[in-house]
């Protein structure tokens, strides 16, 4: 068949975003009437579908069948900035993305929509099967990978454990020990030798040690140079990377086929998950024996999360899945935020001096969790860091039923609905004309004064969590947010009090990589300089 194509004017009624319509002149043979009818139906289907997606005239340029695949491909290396630009240009800060091989996706940076999704109509926006399928092999039925009644029951049980004083005291004791015995010596040795240190790698290993000691009651020793790299840490790293690639795959059928055939990365994932499951189940069995010995006259009750769940009588697999979920959630989120925090301070030495004055001016009382809770400048700097570089760049739900968002955007059953933390942190409609700047002022005006009743560390009076959903919001608000702030403030004050970090390439602007947890591309390589008492005072007072 020889088909010749020539452009013509669009017919009335076609979707407004289709810039050209085409018709062909048959020159050699006759096309089947059924084929013509099928083609017309397909064009009509996509015309209606895309017209609904363009009800506000917002979003990437789309075409029948392929959707926005062309623009998506062109911007595949800068998706975060591309989405941010589209959202900023949208009057509603909402766009609809429809492309071949993916679900229809509503992306929003509108706080009113975010509140509707995460709170007002919470029941209609579960994580959904497409999401739980991606994480299910690793997280099982852990709290971060379930919906409905199973989620609610776990949330109620686990929230009690997280509010326990014993667990909070354990976290701070672990932080002090890990910093004193490993983090500070490692940085001190680098300063003495003039070595280059990748702070992102150092902070990730520190965080993994802390989360394992608090969650499992075991010390993997990731920061101990005398110990080999733990197999469990390597398994978590590999599994997280493969899971992230699952989520980023243009067509889910590809990784599902590889899993069914047990080949390539999916075979490696199965092997890494087996290592993780075996290690955690072994610990559960060992800890149960310890609990039995205590019942028969032993002592030394443990406060780690694993032990507390065993004592509450949870089934073994449920304990395994919940503990793995918390390790996955806590291992990289705080280290990601701290990596960007230290980099931003190297770009804003005036902010570093302000934070340093606060840290060194508080005396010994600031070495305690309560004292850290009152560090207004440090708290503001951490909040501002996560506004611009959130540990989780976006979060998606899947609509259980059709809906209409407050801004008028129609949501169809099964649509992926994404609220976009990275883009929200850059919206002038939320933060003003200086949204792209790193500034403590926007936070200091709403954080309570030193002598005022302290607000919860992860909350700021007067700021809607739906404008700043870094820790989610509504019923699924992150249970570990208070512990995360304690850890970040402790590490920040411990490092800044003793060391100055100087980037190896001070002109470099790192790449923000939105994996399961966001990372800094190629790490943060710095040289470390020790601060003597005089240098600390000088640095803190300079610029006054």
């Amino acid at each position: 068949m020889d088909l010749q194509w020539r452009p013509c004017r669009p017919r009335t009624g076609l979707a407004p975003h289709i810039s050209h319509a085409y018709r062909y002149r048959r020159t050699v043979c006759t096309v089947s009437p059924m084929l013509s009818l099928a083609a017309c139906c397909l064009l009509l289907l996509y015309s209606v579908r895309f017209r609904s997606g363009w009800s506000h005239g917002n979003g990437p340029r789309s075409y029948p069948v392929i959707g926005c695949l062309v623009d998506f491909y062109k911007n595949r290396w800068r998706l975060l900035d591309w989405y941010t630009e589209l959202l900023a240009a949208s009057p509603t800060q909402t766009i609809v993305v429809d492309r071949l091989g993916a679900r229809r996706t509503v992306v929003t940076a509108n706080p009113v929509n975010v509140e509707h999704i995460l709170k007002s109509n919470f029941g209609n926006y579960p994580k959904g099967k497409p999401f739980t399928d991606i994480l299910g092999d690793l997280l099982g039925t852990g709290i971060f990978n379930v919906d409905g009644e199973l989620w609610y029951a776990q949330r109620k049980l686990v929230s009690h454990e997280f509010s326990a004083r014993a667990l909070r005291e354990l976290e701070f004791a672990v932080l002090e020990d890990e910093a004193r015995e490993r983090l500070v010596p490692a940085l001190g040795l680098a300063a003495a030798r003039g070595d280059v240190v990748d702070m992102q790698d150092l902070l990730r290993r520190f965080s993994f040690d802390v989360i394992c000691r608090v969650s499992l009651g075991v010390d993997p020793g990731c920061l101990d140079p005398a110990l080999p790299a733990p197999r469990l840490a390597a398994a978590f790293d590999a599994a997280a990377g493969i899971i992230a690639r699952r989520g980023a795959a243009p067509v889910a059928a590809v990784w599902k086929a590889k899993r069914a055939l047990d080949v390539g990365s999916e075979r490696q994932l199965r092997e890494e998950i087996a290592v993780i499951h075996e290690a955690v189940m072994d610990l559960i069995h060992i800890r149960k024996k310890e609990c039995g010995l205590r019942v028969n006259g032993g002592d030394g009750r443990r406060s780690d999360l694993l032990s507390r769940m065993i004592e509450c009588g949870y089934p073994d697999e449920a304990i395994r899945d919940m503990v793995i979920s918390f390790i996955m959630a806590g291992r990289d989120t705080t280290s990601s935020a701290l990596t960007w925090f230290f980099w931003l301070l190297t770009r804003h030495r005036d902010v570093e001096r302000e934070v340093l004055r606060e840290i060194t001016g508080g005396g010994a009382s600031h070495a305690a969790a309560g004292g850290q809770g009152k560090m207004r400048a440090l708290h503001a700097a951490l909040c501002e860091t996560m506004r611009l570089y959130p540990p989780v760049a976006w979060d998606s739900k899947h609509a259980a039923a059709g809906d209409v968002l407050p801004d008028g955007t129609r949501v169809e059953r099964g649509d992926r609905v994404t609220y976009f933390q990275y883009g929200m942190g850059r919206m002038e409609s939320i933060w003003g004309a200086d949204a792209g700047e790193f500034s403590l002022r926007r936070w200091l005006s709403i954080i309570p004064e030193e002598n005022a009743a302290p607000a919860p560390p992860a909350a700021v009076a007067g700021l809607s969590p739906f404008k700043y959903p870094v820790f989610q919001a509504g019923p699924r608000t992150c249970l570990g947010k208070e512990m995360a702030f304690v850890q970040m403030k402790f590490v920040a004050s411990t490092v800044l009090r003793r060391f100055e970090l100087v980037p190896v390439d001070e002109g470099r602007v790192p790449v923000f990589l939105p994996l399961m947890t966001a990372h800094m591309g190629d790490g943060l390589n710095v040289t470390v300089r020790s601060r003597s008492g005089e240098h600390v005072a000088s640095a803190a007072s300079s610029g006054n």
Side-chain angles (χ1 to χ4, degrees):
M1 183 187 299
D2 180 16
L3 300 181
Q4 294 182 354
W5 299 77
R6 66 186 183 187
C8 71
R9 292 184 180 181
R11 290 186 178 182
T12 304
L14 286 180
H17 62 283
I18 300 177
S19 58
H20 296 284
Y22 292 92
R23 67 185 180 189
Y24 64 85
R25 183 176 68 242
R26 188 176 59 218
T27 59
V28 174
C29 62
T30 302
V31 177
S32 164
M34 290 300 295
L35 182 60
S36 298
L37 179 61
C40 291
C41 290
L42 184 63
L43 180 61
L44 178 62
L45 172 65
Y46 275 87
S47 175
V48 172
R49 186 180 184 191
F50 284 116
R51 182 165 60 249
S52 69
W54 273 70
S55 59
H56 299 283
N58 309 313
R61 178 177 300 176
S62 296
Y63 302 93
V65 183
I66 65 171
C68 69
L69 192 61
V70 173
D71 278 359
F72 186 89
Y73 181 80
K74 288 179 180 178
N75 291 279
R76 66 192 183 281
W77 303 119
R78 56 181 301 271
L79 284 179
L80 295 180
D81 292 330
W82 181 50
Y83 278 6
T84 300
E85 291 163 5
L86 292 170
L87 289 165
S90 165
T92 61
Q93 282 73 61
T94 302
I95 60 174
V96 176
V97 178
D98 212 334
R99 65 179 174 86
L100 182 67
R103 289 176 177 268
R104 180 177 185 268
T105 301
V106 177
V107 184
T108 188
N110 186 326
V112 179
N113 286 347
V114 175
E115 183 171 6
H116 179 82
I117 295 162
L118 297 184
K119 181 182 177 183
S120 305
N121 201 11
F122 172 76
N124 192 52
Y125 293 98
K127 288 181 177 290
K129 192 172 185 300
F131 181 91
T132 57
D133 278 351
I134 291 172
L135 293 173
D137 291 327
L138 177 59
L139 300 186
T141 58
I143 188 171
F144 300 128
N145 203 49
V146 291
D147 291 310
E149 290 300 319
L150 185 57
W151 167 80
Y152 180 78
Q154 287 193 51
R155 175 84 180 192
K156 185 176 180 181
L157 292 169
V158 176
S159 62
H160 173 72
E161 303 304 329
F162 266 72
S163 64
R165 181 179 178 181
L167 190 64
R168 295 197 302 270
E169 290 177 346
L170 172 64
E171 181 201 17
F172 200 74
V174 168
L175 285 171
E176 286 188 313
D177 183 66
E178 191 74 17
R180 181 181 63 250
E181 299 298 327
R182 291 174 181 164
L183 181 61
V184 171
L187 290 172
L189 184 61
R193 292 179 174 177
D195 293 342
V196 172
V197 174
D198 180 357
M199 283 299 294
Q200 177 168 256
D201 177 65
L202 193 72
L203 292 167
R204 289 182 69 193
R205 289 188 281 129
F206 175 89
S207 294
F208 191 75
D209 279 355
V210 170
I211 195 66
C212 282
R213 292 175 69 177
V214 172
S215 295
L216 299 175
V218 297
D219 180 5
C222 284
L223 263 183
D224 191 334
L227 297 176
R231 180 68 181 91
L232 184 61
F236 268 107
D237 281 339
I242 297 170
I243 291 289
R245 290 195 290 277
R246 273 185 176 183
V251 181
V254 174
W255 68 259
K256 289 183 178 181
K258 289 168 67 178
R259 181 178 63 179
L261 296 171
D262 193 29
V263 296
S265 60
E266 288 297 317
R267 180 173 185 175
Q268 183 190 359
L269 177 62
R270 178 180 58 78
E271 293 169 350
E272 302 296 350
I273 289 174
V275 171
I276 295 169
H277 283 185
E278 181 181 1
V280 176
M281 290 301 287
D282 284 348
L283 283 170
I284 291 172
H285 297 151
I286 292 170
R287 200 62 48 79
K288 279 191 168 183
K289 290 180 181 179
E290 292 178 357
C291 291
L293 291 174
R294 283 203 305 274
V295 170
N296 293 318
D299 54 9
R301 183 180 182 184
R302 291 175 175 265
S303 299
D304 58 85
L305 192 62
L306 176 62
S307 298
R308 294 180 65 84
M309 288 183 173
I310 289 173
E311 291 178 359
C312 289
Y314 301 158
D316 289 1
E317 288 193 358
I319 295 172
R320 179 200 68 191
D321 291 347
M322 282 191 281
V323 168
I324 290 173
S325 291
F326 287 121
I327 291 174
M328 288 298 297
R331 63 188 291 271
D332 283 344
T333 48
T334 54
S335 62
S336 172
L338 284 167
T339 299
W340 289 101
F341 166 81
F342 285 124
W343 175 73
L344 283 166
L345 290 196
T346 68
R347 306 271 291 190
H348 301 273
R349 293 295 185 183
D350 57 329
V351 175
E352 182 184 47
R353 288 191 294 269
E354 188 171 354
V355 172
L356 192 58
R357 278 197 300 271
E358 185 176 68
I359 292 171
T360 57
S365 64
H366 274 53
Q372 288 178 0
K374 298 174 183 177
M375 291 186 179
R376 297 177 71 242
L378 177 55
H379 187 91
L382 289 167
C383 288
E384 184 73 342
T385 295
M386 290 185 289
R387 178 181 73 86
L388 293 171
Y389 300 101
V392 178
W394 45 34
D395 189 26
S396 296
K397 314 295 181 184
H398 289 82
D403 191 20
V404 178
L405 298 181
D407 69 359
T409 303
R410 185 172 58 80
V411 176
E412 300 173 1
R413 182 177 181 272
D415 279 357
R416 180 175 177 176
V417 181
T418 298
Y419 66 98
F420 187 35
Q421 295 98 309
Y422 179 90
M424 292 182 75
R426 288 161 170 74
M427 289 294 112
E428 293 187 2
S429 59
I430 299 176
W431 302 101
D434 65 343
E437 299 177 12
F438 180 74
S439 171
L440 304 193
R441 304 279 78 80
R442 73 180 88 250
W443 298 97
L444 293 177
S445 62
I446 54 177
I447 296 176
E449 296 287 346
E450 186 80 16
N451 56 357
V460 179
L463 178 68
S464 166
F466 305 104
K467 293 182 178 179
Y468 184 72
V470 170
F471 293 93
Q472 291 210 49
R476 276 195 182 265
T477 298
C478 176
L479 287 168
K481 63 181 182 180
E482 311 295 344
M483 296 175 70
F485 267 99
V486 168
Q487 180 172 333
M488 289 188 293
K489 289 182 177 181
F490 180 89
V491 173
S493 57
T494 297
V495 172
L496 290 175
R497 184 190 294 270
R498 295 168 175 82
F499 305 103
E500 178 187 0
L501 306 180
V502 181
V504 172
D505 182 359
E506 297 203 48
R508 168 181 171 249
V509 177
V511 176
F512 184 82
L513 299 178
L515 304 177
M516 281 187 67
T517 302
H519 291 98
M520 180 180 288
D522 297 323
L524 178 57
N525 292 319
V526 300
T527 55
V528 184
R529 299 174 184 170
S530 293
R531 297 189 198 267
S532 65
E534 292 181 2
H535 289 159
V536 170
S538 175
S541 62
S542 62
N544 284 346

